[in-house]
Amino acid sequence: MGNTCRYVVSATGKNGETYYTQCKDKEELKEWLAEHEDKLNKKELKVKDKKRHPLLSWLNF
């Protein structure tokens, strides 16, 4: 079986915690972000879409 996750979330919490999770679809991603919204530092939040073409992410500043 292959890895079925699409989104990878890497974030830092307000108290210095480190968060790393994988979500299989956009709904799961939104749900996770809503659950942890008050704990996350928005400036340190990074979401990577593994199915997006690398050239598109490079062109999109």
Side-chain angles (χ1 to χ4, degrees):
M1 282 197 174
N3 192 356
T4 60
C5 75
R6 178 171 180 171
Y7 298 100
V8 177
V9 180
S10 176
T12 304
K14 292 181 179 177
N15 294 326
E17 306 95 343
T18 301
Y19 294 94
Y20 180 82
T21 189
Q22 299 177 352
C23 301
K24 64 181 177 179
D25 58 10
K26 199 168 195 174
E27 293 301 318
E28 186 178 344
L29 174 65
K30 287 182 181 180
E31 183 179 312
W32 189 88
L33 289 173
E35 288 176 9
H36 296 87
E37 182 178 18
D38 57 334
K39 300 176 187 175
L40 298 176
N41 184 358
K42 303 289 189 222
K43 293 180 181 179
E44 298 293 324
L45 177 66
K46 295 177 186 172
V47 179
K48 181 178 179 185
D49 185 353
K50 291 173 63 175
K51 293 194 178 184
R52 186 173 182 176
H53 193 277
L55 185 58
L56 291 176
S57 62
W58 182 73
L59 291 174
N60 191 12
F61 296 98

